[in-house]
């Protein structure tokens, strides 16, 4: 398959460097770089829930109880 692509300068430099080092064609260099990127799994930081004190005087960990309490306060 023949496809025209526009490479950013840094990507083009990496392709040319790989071509020189391994004496391979443009297509082979691009395919190798793409495959190496596909094989990598991104490093994800573990999720941590951040909490902040917002000054509530009502426990809102149980939403149903909090709503019931607020309804009682309105009456």
């Amino acid at each position: 398959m023949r496809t025209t692509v526009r490479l950013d300068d840094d990507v083009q430099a990496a392709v040319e460097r790989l071509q020189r080092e391994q004496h391979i064609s443009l297509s082979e260099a691009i395919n190798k770089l793409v495959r190496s990127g596909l094989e990598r799994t991104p490093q994800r930081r573990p999720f941590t829930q951040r909490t902040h004190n917002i000054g509530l005087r009502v426990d809102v960990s149980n939403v149903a109880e909090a709503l019931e309490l607020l309804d009682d306060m309105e009456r």
Side-chain angles (χ1 to χ4, degrees), residues 29-42:
I30 291 172
N31 283 320
K32 280 188 175 212
L33 288 172
V34 169
R35 285 189 185 104
S36 70
L38 291 173
E39 290 172 357
R40 292 186 187 168
T41 56

Side-chain angles (χ1 to χ4, degrees), residues 10-64:
D10 58 333
V11 175
Q12 182 176 349
V15 169
E16 290 171 354
R17 183 173 53 251
L18 189 60
Q19 282 183 279
R20 281 192 310 274
E21 291 171 356
Q22 297 187 9
H23 306 289
I24 58 178
S25 70
L26 175 66
S27 294
E28 288 175 299
I30 291 172
N31 283 320
K32 280 188 175 212
L33 288 172
V34 169
R35 285 189 185 104
S36 70
L38 291 173
E39 290 172 357
R40 292 186 187 168
T41 56
Q43 296 290 334
R44 292 185 178 183
R45 295 187 322 198
F47 175 78
T48 53
Q49 180 66 47
R50 289 181 264 161
T51 60
H52 299 279
N53 184 356
I54 57 174
L56 289 178
R57 295 184 182 168
V58 176
D59 180 15
V60 291
S61 57
N62 184 327
V63 175

Side-chain angles (χ1 to χ4, degrees), residues 57-59 64-74:
R57 295 184 182 168
V58 176
D59 180 15
E65 285 179 13
L67 291 173
E68 192 173 313
L69 179 62
L70 291 171
D71 283 343
D72 289 344
M73 292 173 75
E74 283 183 3

